Amino acid sequence: MKIIADRDKCMGNGLCEAVHSDVFEVGDDGVVLVRDENVRADDRTLLQQAVAICPAFALRLVEDD
């Protein structure tokens, strides 16, 4: 499973970072940074919350093939 962030859409409000700060960080440029896009299955619920709460629709959770 991977989490993908579209940095062009990101508004930098930090909601994703508030939900899961181990995965997301809003950088000094005000745009989300995914610390590691390959995430554990144990984090699925938190990642789904981060995707759902993003007002810019900049996050996407992708299942491995």
Coordinates of all heavy atoms in Angstrom, one line a residue:
M1 N 0.8 -1.2 0.0 CA 0.0 0.0 0.0 C 0.9 1.2 0.0 O 1.9 1.3 0.7 CB -0.9 -0.1 1.2 CG -1.7 1.1 1.5 SD -2.9 1.0 2.8 CE -2.0 0.1 4.1
K2 N 0.5 2.2 -0.8 CA 1.2 3.5 -0.9 C 0.3 4.7 -0.6 O -0.9 4.6 -1.0 CB 1.9 3.6 -2.2 CG 3.0 2.7 -2.5 CD 3.6 3.0 -3.8 CE 4.8 2.0 -4.1 NZ 5.4 2.2 -5.3
I3 N 0.9 5.7 -0.1 CA 0.1 7.0 0.0 C 0.8 8.0 -0.9 O 2.0 8.1 -0.9 CB 0.1 7.5 1.5 CG1 -0.8 8.7 1.6 CG2 1.5 7.8 2.0 CD1 -2.3 8.4 1.6
I4 N 0.0 8.6 -1.8 CA 0.5 9.5 -2.8 C -0.1 10.9 -2.5 O -1.2 11.0 -2.2 CB 0.0 9.1 -4.2 CG1 0.4 7.6 -4.5 CG2 0.6 10.0 -5.3 CD1 1.9 7.3 -4.5
A5 N 0.8 11.8 -2.5 CA 0.4 13.2 -2.3 C 0.7 14.0 -3.6 O 1.8 14.0 -4.1 CB 1.2 13.9 -1.2
D6 N -0.4 14.7 -4.0 CA -0.2 15.6 -5.2 C 0.2 17.0 -4.6 O -0.7 17.8 -4.1 CB -1.5 15.7 -5.9 CG -1.5 16.5 -7.2 OD1 -0.6 17.4 -7.3 OD2 -2.3 16.3 -8.1
R7 N 1.4 17.3 -4.7 CA 1.9 18.5 -4.1 C 1.4 19.8 -4.8 O 1.4 20.8 -4.2 CB 3.5 18.5 -4.1 CG 4.0 17.4 -3.1 CD 5.5 17.3 -3.1 NE 6.2 18.5 -3.0 CZ 6.6 19.2 -1.9 NH1 6.3 18.6 -0.8 NH2 7.3 20.3 -2.0
D8 N 1.0 19.6 -6.0 CA 0.4 20.8 -6.7 C -1.0 21.2 -6.2 O -1.4 22.3 -6.2 CB 0.3 20.5 -8.2 CG 1.7 20.4 -8.9 OD1 2.6 21.1 -8.4 OD2 1.8 19.7 -9.8
K9 N -1.7 20.2 -5.7 CA -3.0 20.4 -5.1 C -3.0 20.8 -3.6 O -3.9 21.5 -3.1 CB -3.9 19.2 -5.2 CG -4.3 18.8 -6.6 CD -5.2 17.6 -6.6 CE -5.7 17.2 -7.9 NZ -6.6 16.0 -7.9
C10 N -1.9 20.5 -3.0 CA -1.8 20.7 -1.5 C -2.0 22.1 -1.1 O -1.4 23.0 -1.7 CB -0.5 20.1 -1.0 SG -0.3 20.4 0.8
M11 N -2.8 22.4 -0.1 CA -3.0 23.8 0.4 C -2.2 24.0 1.7 O -2.2 25.1 2.2 CB -4.5 24.0 0.7 CG -5.4 23.9 -0.6 SD -7.2 23.8 -0.4 CE -7.5 24.5 1.2
G12 N -1.6 23.0 2.2 CA -0.7 23.1 3.3 C -1.4 23.4 4.7 O -0.8 23.9 5.6
N13 N -2.6 22.9 4.8 CA -3.3 23.2 6.1 C -2.9 22.3 7.2 O -3.3 22.5 8.3 CB -4.9 23.2 5.8 CG -5.4 21.9 5.3 OD1 -4.8 20.8 5.6 ND2 -6.4 21.9 4.5
G14 N -2.3 21.2 6.9 CA -1.7 20.3 7.9 C -2.6 19.3 8.6 O -2.3 18.7 9.6
L15 N -3.8 19.1 8.0 CA -4.8 18.2 8.6 C -4.2 16.8 8.5 O -4.4 16.0 9.5 CB -6.1 18.3 8.0 CG -6.9 19.6 8.2 CD1 -8.2 19.6 7.4 CD2 -7.2 19.8 9.7
C16 N -3.6 16.4 7.5 CA -3.0 15.1 7.3 C -1.9 14.9 8.4 O -1.8 13.8 9.0 CB -2.4 14.9 5.9 SG -1.2 16.1 5.4
E17 N -1.1 15.9 8.6 CA 0.0 15.8 9.6 C -0.6 15.6 11.0 O -0.1 14.9 11.8 CB 0.9 17.0 9.5 CG 2.1 16.9 10.5 CD 3.0 18.1 10.3 OE1 2.6 19.1 9.8 OE2 4.1 18.0 10.8
A18 N -1.7 16.3 11.2 CA -2.4 16.1 12.5 C -2.9 14.7 12.7 O -2.9 14.2 13.9 CB -3.5 17.2 12.7
V19 N -3.4 14.1 11.7 CA -3.9 12.7 11.7 C -2.8 11.7 11.9 O -2.9 10.8 12.7 CB -4.7 12.4 10.5 CG1 -5.1 10.9 10.4 CG2 -6.0 13.2 10.5
H20 N -1.7 11.9 11.2 CA -0.6 10.9 11.2 C 0.7 11.5 10.9 O 1.2 11.6 9.8 CB -0.9 9.8 10.1 CG -0.2 8.5 10.4 ND1 1.1 8.4 11.0 CD2 -0.6 7.2 10.2 CE1 1.4 7.1 11.1 NE2 0.4 6.4 10.7
S21 N 1.3 12.1 12.0 CA 2.6 12.9 11.8 C 3.8 12.0 11.5 O 4.8 12.5 11.1 CB 2.8 13.7 13.1 OG 3.0 12.8 14.2
D22 N 3.7 10.7 11.7 CA 4.8 9.8 11.3 C 4.9 9.7 9.8 O 6.0 9.3 9.3 CB 4.6 8.4 11.9 CG 4.8 8.4 13.4 OD1 5.4 9.3 13.9 OD2 4.4 7.4 14.0
V23 N 3.8 9.9 9.1 CA 3.8 9.8 7.6 C 3.8 11.1 6.9 O 4.5 11.3 5.9 CB 2.6 9.0 7.2 CG1 2.5 8.9 5.7 CG2 2.6 7.6 7.8
F24 N 3.1 12.1 7.4 CA 3.0 13.4 6.8 C 3.7 14.5 7.5 O 3.7 14.5 8.8 CB 1.5 13.8 6.6 CG 0.7 12.8 5.9 CD1 -0.2 11.9 6.6 CD2 0.7 12.6 4.6 CE1 -0.9 11.0 6.0 CE2 0.0 11.7 3.9 CZ -0.9 10.9 4.6
E25 N 4.2 15.4 6.8 CA 4.8 16.6 7.3 C 4.6 17.8 6.4 O 4.8 17.6 5.2 CB 6.3 16.4 7.5 CG 7.0 17.6 8.0 CD 8.5 17.4 8.2 OE1 9.0 16.3 7.9 OE2 9.2 18.4 8.5
V26 N 4.2 18.9 6.9 CA 4.1 20.1 6.0 C 5.4 20.8 6.1 O 5.8 21.2 7.2 CB 2.9 21.0 6.5 CG1 2.9 22.3 5.6 CG2 1.6 20.3 6.4
G27 N 6.1 20.9 5.0 CA 7.4 21.5 5.0 C 7.4 23.0 5.1 O 6.4 23.6 5.2
D28 N 8.6 23.5 5.1 CA 8.8 24.9 5.2 C 8.2 25.7 4.0 O 7.9 26.9 4.1 CB 10.3 25.3 5.3 CG 10.9 24.8 6.6 OD1 10.2 24.6 7.6 OD2 12.2 24.6 6.6
D29 N 8.0 25.0 2.9 CA 7.4 25.6 1.7 C 5.9 25.6 1.8 O 5.2 26.0 0.9 CB 7.9 24.9 0.5 CG 7.5 23.4 0.4 OD1 7.0 22.9 1.4 OD2 7.8 22.8 -0.6
G30 N 5.3 25.0 2.9 CA 3.9 25.0 3.1 C 3.2 23.9 2.3 O 1.9 23.9 2.2
V31 N 3.9 22.9 1.9 CA 3.3 21.8 1.1 C 3.7 20.5 1.8 O 4.7 20.3 2.4 CB 3.9 21.8 -0.3 CG1 3.3 20.7 -1.2 CG2 3.6 23.2 -1.0
V32 N 2.7 19.6 1.7 CA 2.9 18.3 2.4 C 4.1 17.5 1.8 O 4.4 17.5 0.6 CB 1.6 17.4 2.2 CG1 1.3 17.0 0.8 CG2 1.7 16.2 3.2
L33 N 4.7 16.8 2.7 CA 5.8 15.9 2.4 C 5.5 14.6 2.9 O 5.1 14.5 4.1 CB 7.1 16.4 3.0 CG 8.3 15.5 2.9 CD1 8.8 15.3 1.5 CD2 9.4 16.0 3.8
V34 N 5.5 13.5 2.1 CA 5.2 12.2 2.6 C 6.6 11.6 3.0 O 7.5 11.5 2.1 CB 4.6 11.3 1.5 CG1 4.4 9.9 2.0 CG2 3.2 11.9 1.1
R35 N 6.8 11.3 4.2 CA 8.1 10.8 4.7 C 8.5 9.5 4.1 O 9.6 9.3 3.8 CB 8.0 10.7 6.2 CG 7.9 12.0 6.9 CD 7.7 11.9 8.4 NE 7.4 13.1 9.0 CZ 8.0 13.6 10.1 NH1 8.9 12.9 10.7 NH2 7.6 14.8 10.5
D36 N 7.5 8.6 3.9 CA 7.7 7.3 3.3 C 6.4 6.9 2.6 O 5.5 6.6 3.3 CB 8.2 6.3 4.3 CG 8.6 4.9 3.6 OD1 8.5 4.8 2.4 OD2 9.0 4.0 4.4
E37 N 6.4 6.9 1.3 CA 5.1 6.5 0.6 C 4.7 5.1 0.8 O 3.5 4.8 0.6 CB 5.1 7.0 -0.8 CG 6.0 6.1 -1.7 CD 5.9 6.6 -3.2 OE1 5.7 7.8 -3.4 OE2 6.1 5.7 -4.0
N38 N 5.6 4.2 1.1 CA 5.3 2.8 1.3 C 5.0 2.6 2.8 O 5.8 2.8 3.7 CB 6.5 1.9 1.0 CG 6.8 1.9 -0.5 OD1 6.0 1.7 -1.3 ND2 8.0 2.3 -0.8
V39 N 3.7 2.4 3.1 CA 3.2 2.4 4.5 C 2.7 1.0 4.9 O 2.4 0.2 4.0 CB 2.1 3.5 4.6 CG1 2.7 4.9 4.5 CG2 1.0 3.2 3.7
R40 N 2.6 0.8 6.2 CA 2.2 -0.5 6.7 C 0.7 -0.6 6.7 O 0.0 0.4 6.8 CB 2.7 -0.5 8.2 CG 4.1 -0.4 8.4 CD 4.4 -0.5 9.9 NE 3.3 0.1 10.6 CZ 3.4 0.5 11.9 NH1 4.6 0.4 12.5 NH2 2.4 1.0 12.5
A41 N 0.3 -1.8 6.5 CA -1.2 -2.1 6.5 C -1.8 -1.7 7.8 O -3.0 -1.4 7.9 CB -1.4 -3.6 6.2
D42 N -1.0 -1.7 8.9 CA -1.6 -1.3 10.2 C -2.0 0.1 10.3 O -2.8 0.5 11.1 CB -0.5 -1.5 11.3 CG -0.1 -3.0 11.6 OD1 -0.8 -3.9 11.0 OD2 0.8 -3.2 12.3
D43 N -1.5 0.9 9.3 CA -1.8 2.3 9.3 C -3.0 2.7 8.4 O -3.3 3.8 8.2 CB -0.6 3.1 8.8 CG 0.5 3.1 9.8 OD1 0.3 3.0 11.0 OD2 1.7 3.3 9.4
R44 N -3.6 1.7 7.8 CA -4.7 1.9 6.9 C -5.8 2.8 7.4 O -6.2 3.8 6.7 CB -5.3 0.6 6.5 CG -6.5 0.7 5.5 CD -7.2 -0.6 5.2 NE -6.3 -1.5 4.6 CZ -6.0 -1.6 3.3 NH1 -6.6 -0.8 2.5 NH2 -5.2 -2.5 2.9
T45 N -6.3 2.6 8.6 CA -7.4 3.4 9.1 C -7.0 4.9 9.2 O -7.7 5.8 8.8 CB -7.8 2.9 10.5 OG1 -8.3 1.6 10.3 CG2 -9.0 3.7 11.0
L46 N -5.8 5.2 9.7 CA -5.3 6.5 9.9 C -5.1 7.2 8.5 O -5.4 8.4 8.3 CB -4.0 6.6 10.7 CG -4.2 6.4 12.2 CD1 -2.8 6.4 12.9 CD2 -5.1 7.5 12.8
L47 N -4.6 6.4 7.6 CA -4.3 7.0 6.2 C -5.6 7.2 5.5 O -5.8 8.3 4.8 CB -3.5 6.0 5.4 CG -2.0 5.9 6.0 CD1 -1.3 4.7 5.2 CD2 -1.3 7.2 5.9
Q48 N -6.6 6.4 5.7 CA -7.9 6.6 5.1 C -8.5 7.9 5.7 O -9.2 8.7 5.0 CB -8.8 5.4 5.3 CG -8.5 4.3 4.5 CD -9.3 3.0 4.8 OE1 -9.7 2.8 5.9 NE2 -9.5 2.2 3.8
Q49 N -8.3 8.1 7.0 CA -8.8 9.4 7.6 C -8.1 10.6 7.0 O -8.8 11.6 6.7 CB -8.6 9.3 9.1 CG -9.5 8.3 9.8 CD -9.2 8.2 11.3 OE1 -8.2 8.8 11.8 NE2 -9.9 7.4 12.0
A50 N -6.8 10.5 6.8 CA -6.1 11.6 6.3 C -6.5 11.9 4.8 O -6.7 13.1 4.5 CB -4.6 11.3 6.3
V51 N -6.8 10.9 4.1 CA -7.3 11.1 2.7 C -8.6 11.7 2.7 O -8.9 12.7 2.0 CB -7.3 9.7 1.9 CG1 -8.1 9.9 0.6 CG2 -5.9 9.2 1.7
A52 N -9.5 11.3 3.6 CA -10.9 11.8 3.7 C -10.9 13.2 4.2 O -11.8 14.0 3.7 CB -11.7 10.9 4.6
I53 N -10.0 13.6 5.0 CA -10.1 14.9 5.7 C -9.4 16.0 4.8 O -9.6 17.2 5.0 CB -9.5 14.9 7.1 CG1 -10.0 16.0 7.9 CG2 -8.0 14.8 7.0 CD1 -9.7 15.9 9.4
C54 N -8.6 15.6 3.8 CA -7.9 16.6 3.0 C -8.9 17.4 2.2 O -9.5 16.9 1.3 CB -6.9 15.9 2.1 SG -6.0 17.0 1.0
P55 N -8.9 18.7 2.4 CA -9.9 19.6 1.7 C -9.5 19.8 0.2 O -10.3 20.2 -0.6 CB -9.9 20.9 2.5 CG -8.6 20.9 3.2 CD -8.2 19.5 3.5
A56 N -8.2 19.6 -0.1 CA -7.7 19.8 -1.4 C -7.7 18.5 -2.3 O -7.4 18.6 -3.4 CB -6.3 20.4 -1.4
F57 N -8.2 17.4 -1.7 CA -8.2 16.1 -2.4 C -6.8 15.8 -2.9 O -6.6 15.3 -4.1 CB -9.2 16.1 -3.5 CG -10.6 16.4 -3.0 CD1 -11.2 17.6 -3.2 CD2 -11.3 15.4 -2.3 CE1 -12.4 17.9 -2.7 CE2 -12.6 15.7 -1.8 CZ -13.1 17.0 -2.0
A58 N -5.7 16.1 -2.1 CA -4.4 16.0 -2.6 C -3.8 14.6 -2.2 O -2.6 14.3 -2.6 CB -3.5 17.1 -2.0
L59 N -4.5 13.8 -1.5 CA -4.0 12.5 -1.0 C -4.7 11.4 -1.6 O -5.9 11.5 -1.8 CB -4.0 12.4 0.5 CG -3.3 13.5 1.3 CD1 -3.6 13.3 2.8 CD2 -1.8 13.4 1.0
R60 N -4.0 10.3 -1.9 CA -4.6 9.1 -2.5 C -3.9 7.9 -1.9 O -2.7 7.9 -1.8 CB -4.3 9.2 -4.0 CG -5.1 8.2 -4.8 CD -5.1 8.6 -6.3 NE -3.7 9.0 -6.8 CZ -2.9 8.3 -7.5 NH1 -3.3 7.1 -7.9 NH2 -1.8 8.8 -7.9
L61 N -4.7 6.9 -1.5 CA -4.2 5.7 -1.0 C -4.3 4.6 -2.1 O -5.3 4.4 -2.7 CB -5.0 5.2 0.2 CG -4.5 4.1 1.1 CD1 -3.1 4.4 1.6 CD2 -5.4 3.8 2.2
V62 N -3.1 4.0 -2.4 CA -3.1 3.0 -3.6 C -2.7 1.7 -3.0 O -1.7 1.6 -2.3 CB -2.1 3.5 -4.6 CG1 -2.0 2.6 -5.8 CG2 -2.4 4.9 -5.1
E63 N -3.4 0.7 -3.4 CA -3.1 -0.7 -3.0 C -2.0 -1.2 -3.9 O -1.9 -0.9 -5.1 CB -4.3 -1.6 -3.2 CG -5.4 -1.2 -2.3 CD -5.1 -1.4 -0.8 OE1 -4.3 -2.2 -0.4 OE2 -5.7 -0.6 0.0
D64 N -1.1 -2.0 -3.4 CA 0.0 -2.6 -4.2 C -0.7 -3.6 -5.2 O -1.7 -4.3 -4.9 CB 1.0 -3.4 -3.3 CG 1.8 -2.4 -2.5 OD1 2.0 -1.3 -2.9 OD2 2.2 -2.8 -1.3
D65 N 0.0 -3.8 -6.3 CA -0.5 -4.7 -7.3 C -0.3 -6.1 -6.9 O 0.6 -6.5 -6.3 CB 0.1 -4.4 -8.7 CG -0.4 -3.1 -9.2 OD1 -1.5 -2.7 -8.9 OD2 0.4 -2.5 -10.0

